[in-house]
Amino acid sequence: MSESSEARSAGSVQSLARGLAVIRSFDADNPRMTLSEVATRTGLSRATARRFLLTLRDLGYVRSDGKIFELTSEVLQLGYSYLSSAPLPQLVSPVLEDLSAAMGESASASVLEGDSIVYIARVHTRAIMQVGISVGTRFPALATSMGRVLLAGAPAQVVTELLDGPLPALTPLTVTDPERLREILREVAEQGYCFVDQELSLGLRSVAVPVHGPDGTIVCALNVSLSVVDSRTPEQALAAVLPALQQAAQRVEQALAARR
């Protein structure tokens, strides 16, 4: 590369960096700014800030009444480009982190694979089960809240095959009656969530909700794990967790919709 080409390349990179700095200067506390305010927040001269603002305006990322500048919704397309290429676990993980922090409990996501759920993302806070859980861990779908959420939206043939197979009792509370399990799956489908109380492991409760893709199919399930020793009744535990869990699922669904 010639010296002049290198200089042009360096100039282009610097221009890109400055343009992005102008976009990032707008935030919740500064949604609308004058030219002078943008220059101050970016450290650019007024002339340079003006040039980038006008360029961004011509591209549709900024609008102005001649004095005040603000971003347009076109800026969201920059984020959508990332979302469209991000795999499901990468989309889910930050949502689980926020959910876990808000609830003070472990939060997970899983998909259905055969007769099991497979964890694709997890944020751990405390150990409730003796078995360690991490990405890739598998559990019988019918005994878990996430498994039942996933099966509630699965084809009937998949459910029939599972119910025709062996249904081991993992704890004294595990439901193993095929007809009762069919009834539970119908209830889960109708109410849009599942609460499981110590059927996978004694001392462990969990609440799960489905995450739907843009076509309406269930692509994964999210859950929050709870300990029985926290003294809340099952009804109190469900009421405390479900709204935040549903909001988390909506966040993932919005991210998935943005990938289209």
Side-chain angles (χ1 to χ4, degrees):
M1 182 182 292
S2 68
E3 185 174 336
S4 60
S5 296
E6 290 179 352
R8 285 196 299 272
S9 178
S12 298
V13 172
Q14 187 179 52
S15 294
L16 175 60
R18 287 177 172 177
L20 292 174
V22 169
I23 291 176
R24 289 197 300 268
S25 69
F26 294 88
D27 56 25
D29 295 324
N30 301 274
R32 306 174 75 246
M33 293 188 287
T34 64
L35 169 59
S36 296
E37 289 170 333
V38 172
T40 298
R41 284 180 59 79
T42 58
L44 300 173
S45 67
R46 280 175 53 89
T48 301
R50 181 176 184 276
R51 184 168 71 251
F52 282 106
L53 283 168
L54 293 180
T55 299
L56 290 169
R57 183 199 63 187
D58 292 342
L59 293 172
Y61 295 113
V62 168
R63 58 172 165 260
S64 173
D65 61 4
K67 181 180 179 181
I68 301 297
F69 295 86
E70 61 183 337
L71 298 180
T72 71
S73 60
E74 190 68 21
V75 172
L76 293 174
Q77 294 298 328
L78 300 176
Y80 289 166
S81 297
Y82 161 74
L83 291 174
S84 65
S85 62
L88 183 58
Q90 192 170 340
L91 290 178
V92 170
S93 292
V95 176
L96 292 182
E97 290 171 4
D98 290 344
L99 177 63
S100 177
M103 296 288 97
E105 304 285 358
S106 298
S108 309
S110 71
V111 295
L112 186 66
E113 190 171 293
D115 61 356
S116 303
I117 59 166
V118 179
Y119 283 72
I120 61 171
R122 178 168 169 81
V123 177
H124 176 75
T125 57
R126 55 177 172 161
I128 302 177
M129 295 182 63
Q130 293 182 345
V131 177
I133 303 174
S134 60
V135 173
T137 295
R138 305 171 69 97
F139 287 122
L142 284 168
T144 64
S145 61
M146 288 192 288
R148 290 178 182 176
V149 162
L150 293 166
L151 287 171
Q157 183 61 31
V158 172
V159 175
T160 297
E161 290 177 0
L162 287 186
L163 294 178
D164 286 344
L167 302 172
L170 304 179
T171 78
L173 298 176
T174 306
V175 176
T176 58
D177 177 68
E179 290 309 310
R180 175 55 185 149
L181 285 169
R182 287 185 187 278
E183 182 181 348
I184 289 173
L185 293 180
R186 285 194 293 269
E187 292 172 354
V188 170
E190 291 174 1
Q191 65 194 17
Y193 67 87
C194 181
F195 180 83
V196 168
D197 191 359
Q198 304 184 81
E199 294 190 47
L200 177 66
S201 176
L202 291 177
L204 172 68
R205 291 170 173 160
S206 64
V207 185
V209 297
V211 173
H212 296 89
D215 62 355
T217 60
I218 297 176
V219 296
C220 71
L222 307 184
N223 93 330
V224 170
S225 300
L226 305 164
S227 173
V228 173
V229 299
D230 67 6
S231 77
R232 289 181 294 190
T233 66
E235 293 76 18
Q236 290 171 332
L238 177 63
V241 170
L242 185 58
L245 191 55
Q246 291 172 326
Q247 291 176 4
Q250 290 173 1
R251 284 182 57 190
V252 180
E253 289 172 350
Q254 289 167 358
L256 290 170
R259 297 171 59 175
R260 299 189 73 179

